Amino acid sequence: MISFIILMSIVICFSAVLALALNFQWGSGGMVNFGLAGFYALGAYACALLMLKGGFNTFFATLGAMAIVAVACGLVAIVTLRVTEEDYFAIVTLGVGEMLRLVALNEDWLTKGALGLSGIERPFNDWVAPTSYSYVMLGFCALMVAATVWFLNKLARSPFGRVVRAVREDDVVAATLGKHVLWARIRIFAIGGALIGLAGSLHAFYYQYIDPTQFSNIVIAYAFMAVIAGGRGAYLGTILGASIVMVLLEGSRFAKDLIPSLSSDQLAAIRIIIIGVGLIALLIYRPQGFLREYRLQANLSGSKQQSP
Amino acid sequence: MLTVKDVAKSFGGFRALNGCGLEVRPGTITGIIGPNGAGKSTLFNIIGGLFPPDQGVVELEGRSIAGVRPDKLAGLGLVRTFQISRELGELTVLENMLLAGQGQSGEQAWANFLRWGLVREQEARTLAKARALLERVDLWHLANDPARNLSGGQKKLLEISRALMLDPKIILLDEPTAGVSPLMSRALTKAISTLRDDGITFAIIEHDMDMIAEICNPIYVLAEGRTLTSGSFAEVTANEDVMKAYLGKVAA
Ligand SMILES: Nc1ncnc2c1ncn2[C@@H]1O[C@H](COP(=O)(O)OP(=O)(O)OP(=O)(O)O)[C@@H](O)[C@H]1O
Ligand SMILES: [Mg+2]
C-alpha cells in the first residue's frame, strides 16, 4: 500500500507539471493547446532518444527535451498566428499533436513504432539502492513541481505576467498599449512547451519504457480537468486539481477489489464515468475552480512606496 | 501632426468611410462630431491600426501609418481609447495602469530572474506614476479591484488614465465623457485642456456639445463617411449643412 501511494504520488507530480504547463499556456495566456498529448510525447521521446541514441546523461537529456518542445511550440505559434486568425490556433495544435503521435507510431527507425523505447535510464540511479529508489524519484519529481510553481508564480507577479494575462483578456487593447502580441504569444507557448518537455522527461524516467499508447488524447482532457478544477491561472490549484484527477483515475482501480466481477473494459468505462461525474459536480459547485489567479494587491493607504 | 486624406473604407458592400479627411495640428484639441453611424469610430480604428483603409492617406508627423500595427503606433506616441470601454477585466485597476507603462525590462521573462533589481526599480517608478494618475480621477481606492467591477463611467476614466501612462504625443479619445457624471465630465474637460497646455495633442469624438464648445478647436463634422466641414464651434454650428446632417438623420 505504501509503495502504491508513493508510485501514485510520482504520477501525480509529473501530471501536475504537465497540467501546470497547460495552465500557463491556456489558463494564463489564453492559448488553447489541443496538441498537448503530442507535445508531451515529443518531450518523452526527445528525452529518451537523447539518452539512448545521443548518449546524453539524464540532466542534459531533460534540458534538451525542454528546449526541443519549447522550439516546437514556438514554431507552431509563429507559423500559425502569422498566417491565420487565432481562432484556428486550437485546430492547428490538434493537428500538430496528432502528427507528432503518428510520427512516434510510424517512424520505426527512430522511435521503434508501436514497440516503444525501453531501457530508459533514470536520474540518480547509480547513487541509490534500488529498494529506496522510488523515494528519491518522488523527491526529485516533487522538487520539479515546486520549482515549476515557483517559476510560474514569479512570472505571474512580473511585468511579463501582466502582458500574458492582458493578451488573454483583450489582445487589441494589449497592442494598443504598445505590447507586441504575436511575440508575447510565441513566448507564452514556448515557455509552456519547455514545461511540457520537463513533464515528458519525468514520464520517461518513471516508466523507463515509452510507447505511443501512453500519449493518447485523453491525456488532454485530464489536463484540462486538472486546470479547471484548480482554477485557471492558479498554479497551486493545479497541483490540487491534478491530484484529484489522478486519485479518481487510479482510485477507481480499487473498484475491481470491491466488485470482483468487473471486467477490465467495464473498469475502464467506470474510470471515465467517475471523472465525468466529478467534473460535472465541480462545474456546479465551484465553476471558478478551487483557487484564484494571482492579482496584485498594492498597499493603498501607505506612502508612494510599496513592495511588489 | 496627424493627417488624414481621402480615406475610404467599406465593410462588405457598405461604405462606412468615403472621402474622409482631417488635419490634427500639434498642440490642439481637435473635435470630431457627426450623427450616429457617420464613421467617426471607424476613422479612429483606421488611424489606430485596427485595420488598414481601402484607400487614402494616413500620416503621423509626415510618416505614413496606414496599416501600421497598434503597438508600433504606441511606440510612435499615438494611443487611442475605445467608445465602448475595453478594460482588461480580470486584471486589477492598478494592473491595467501598470501594463501601459513603456520600456519595462520586466516584460522580458528572463529579466525577472537575472535583472530583478532593475525590474523592481522600474516597477516602483511605474507604480508611482499610475498612482498619481488614478488619484486624479478618484480611482485609487479601487486600485486593487478587478477592472470588470468598475462602473461604466469609471471604466472610461480608467481607460483615459491608462492611455496617459504611455506618455503619448497624441491621444485619440472616442466619446470620453459618455456615461461619466457631469461633475467628473467637467473635471475631465479641465484635465484635458491642462494636458494640452503640457504639450499633448488630442483628437476627440464627442456628442457632448458643452465639451466640444469649451475646448475643441478646430471641429470636424463627419456625415455619411465624409468630412462635411470644419472650423471653430461658432463656424460649424452656423453651417446649415451641419444642421441638416444631424436633423436629416433624425427625420429619416
Ligand atoms: N467592423 C464593422 N463591420 C461592419 N460594419 C461596420 C463595422 N464598423 C462599423 N461599421 C458600420 O460603419 C458605420 C459607421 O460606424 P461608426 O462606428 O464609425 O459610427 P460612429 O460615427 O462612431 O457612430 P456613433 O456616434 O454612434 O458612435 C455604421 O453604419 C456601422 O454599422
Ligand atoms: Mg462611434
Side-chain angles (χ1 to χ4, degrees):
Chain A
M1 187 64 197
I2 292 286
S3 78
F4 173 76
I5 289 178
I6 292 195
L7 294 185
M8 176 130 153
S9 304
I10 298 175
V11 175
I12 287 176
C13 283
F14 62 74
S15 312
V17 174
L18 184 67
L20 282 163
L22 180 68
N23 199 0
F24 180 70
Q25 291 179 330
W26 174 69
S28 302
M31 301 180 73
V32 181
N33 184 355
F34 285 142
L36 191 69
F39 290 118
Y40 188 37
L42 177 64
Y45 273 91
C47 177
L49 289 171
L50 283 172
M51 289 189 295
L52 295 172
K53 298 218 163 157
F56 288 92
N57 64 20
T58 52
F59 176 74
F60 285 106
T62 306
L63 283 187
M66 292 172 71
I68 287 170
V69 184
V71 168
C73 282
L75 282 177
V76 168
I78 293 178
V79 172
T80 314
L81 295 173
R82 274 183 68 117
V83 297
T84 72
E85 300 283 316
E86 60 184 296
D87 308 339
Y88 297 105
F89 185 71
I91 305 291
V92 174
T93 59
L94 186 66
V96 170
E98 201 53 27
M99 189 193 77
L100 287 169
R101 249 168 30 83
L102 289 176
V103 168
L105 189 60
N106 295 309
E107 298 302 312
D108 293 2
W109 60 275
L110 186 66
T111 66
K112 297 215 182 119
L115 284 178
L117 295 169
S118 55
I120 297 169
E121 207 187 310
R122 301 175 131 183
F124 318 115
N125 215 3
D126 305 338
W127 308 350
V128 252
T131 46
S132 53
Y133 184 78
S134 53
Y135 293 94
V136 174
M137 182 74 187
L138 176 58
F140 176 62
C141 287
L143 192 69
M144 289 300 111
V145 175
T148 304
V149 170
W150 175 82
F151 171 73
L152 291 178
N153 275 334
K154 185 104 175 139
L155 281 189
R157 283 154 183 72
S158 76
F160 175 69
R162 277 199 299 263
V163 174
V164 170
R165 282 175 288 143
V167 165
R168 173 194 71 198
E169 294 290 303
D170 191 331
D171 56 338
V172 171
V173 169
T176 300
L177 299 178
K179 312 304 166 194
H180 194 314
V181 172
L182 175 65
W183 176 227
R185 289 202 165 122
I186 292 166
R187 288 183 295 163
I188 292 168
F189 217 60
I191 290 172
L195 295 176
I196 296 171
L198 174 62
S201 302
L202 296 178
H203 176 111
F205 294 143
Y206 172 72
Y207 289 110
Q208 294 179 281
Y209 161 81
I210 52 175
D211 73 46
T213 59
Q214 296 170 358
F215 307 98
S216 68
N217 282 334
I218 195 75
V219 167
I220 304 171
Y222 296 153
F224 270 96
M225 282 177 208
V227 172
I228 293 168
R232 271 186 86 171
Y235 305 124
L236 272 178
T238 301
I239 299 180
L240 200 61
S243 308
I244 291 173
V245 170
M246 293 324 275
V247 166
L248 287 179
L249 263 182
E250 300 296 319
S252 57
R253 288 187 201 282
F254 289 113
K256 189 147 183 84
D257 301 338
L258 297 175
I259 316 167
S261 60
L262 281 178
S263 74
S264 58
D265 281 354
Q266 287 169 321
L267 193 64
I270 283 183
R271 299 171 83 184
I272 305 285
I273 291 171
I274 290 179
I275 289 283
V277 170
L279 188 69
I280 290 170
L282 184 83
L283 289 177
I284 291 172
Y285 294 107
R286 199 152 174 93
Q288 74 279 39
F290 296 118
L291 297 180
R292 207 185 63 193
E293 181 172 63
Y294 164 78
R295 263 184 209 148
L296 174 64
Q297 294 298 306
N299 173 9
L300 300 187
S301 51
S303 67
K304 307 224 163 183
Q305 295 294 315
Q306 74 99 50
S307 57
Chain B
M1 176 165 208
L2 178 68
T3 310
V4 175
K5 268 190 234 144
D6 271 333
V7 159
K9 177 80 194 174
S10 299
F11 296 109
F14 178 77
R15 295 207 132 218
L17 286 178
N18 188 12
C20 171
L22 57 79
E23 171 82 44
V24 179
R25 282 192 309 279
T28 63
I29 303 177
T30 301
I32 300 165
I33 61 172
N36 293 122
K40 306 182 294 296
S41 298
T42 304
L43 177 63
F44 271 19
N45 287 341
I46 287 172
I47 299 171
L50 253 60
F51 38 72
D54 295 342
Q55 61 175 62
V57 175
V58 186
E59 282 176 351
L60 182 67
E61 294 179 314
R63 183 183 152 168
S64 172
I65 55 163
V68 170
R69 282 202 323 262
D71 55 305
K72 287 267 171 64
L73 295 174
L76 296 173
L78 181 146
V79 63
R80 54 89 53 104
T81 67
F82 296 88
Q83 179 170 2
I84 298 167
S85 313
R86 289 177 85 153
E87 77 288 352
L88 302 162
E90 286 293 309
L91 275 67
T92 68
V93 170
L94 181 58
E95 284 173 324
N96 267 268
M97 296 291 287
L98 297 177
L99 177 77
Q102 298 299 292
Q104 301 186 62
S105 312
E107 287 180 6
Q108 298 307 126
W110 59 267
N112 297 291
F113 299 93
L114 302 179
R115 308 203 57 188
W116 52 268
L118 174 71
V119 171
R120 214 185 162 103
E121 185 188 305
Q122 287 179 349
E123 194 74 345
R125 247 182 289 142
T126 317
L127 187 107
K129 187 165 155 191
R131 176 172 185 166
L133 286 166
L134 284 178
E135 279 174 344
R136 199 148 140 185
V137 290
D138 203 16
L139 284 179
W140 177 247
H141 66 290
L142 299 172
N144 288 338
D145 289 14
R148 76 161 78 268
N149 292 359
L150 294 184
S151 74
Q154 287 169 332
K155 285 178 184 170
K156 279 266 157 193
L157 296 173
L158 171 62
E159 208 170 305
I160 297 165
S161 308
R162 194 173 65 184
L164 289 171
M165 281 296 288
L166 284 96
D167 290 325
K169 292 187 214 160
I170 176 165
I171 308 188
L172 315 180
L173 299 175
D174 198 342
E175 300 193 20
T177 68
V180 175
S181 78
L183 202 70
M184 193 43 97
S185 210
R186 300 278 319 146
L188 197 62
T189 308
K190 281 228 172 59
I192 290 173
S193 84
T194 312
L195 288 165
R196 187 260 323 266
D197 297 340
D198 293 346
I200 302 181
T201 305
F202 286 88
I204 306 183
I205 297 175
E206 228 348 308
H207 289 299
D208 171 9
M209 287 303 148
D210 292 342
M211 181 185 223
I212 293 281
E214 193 172 331
I215 55 171
C216 296
N217 191 16
I219 293 157
Y220 283 81
V221 185
L222 261 61
E224 289 170 7
R226 0 178 243 112
T227 307
L228 204 62
T229 180
S230 67
S232 69
F233 187 73
E235 286 163 4
V236 162
T237 43
N239 187 320
E240 272 183 24
D241 289 345
V242 173
M243 289 302 139
K244 263 192 218 143
Y246 269 98
L247 297 177
K249 195 88 182 173
V250 173

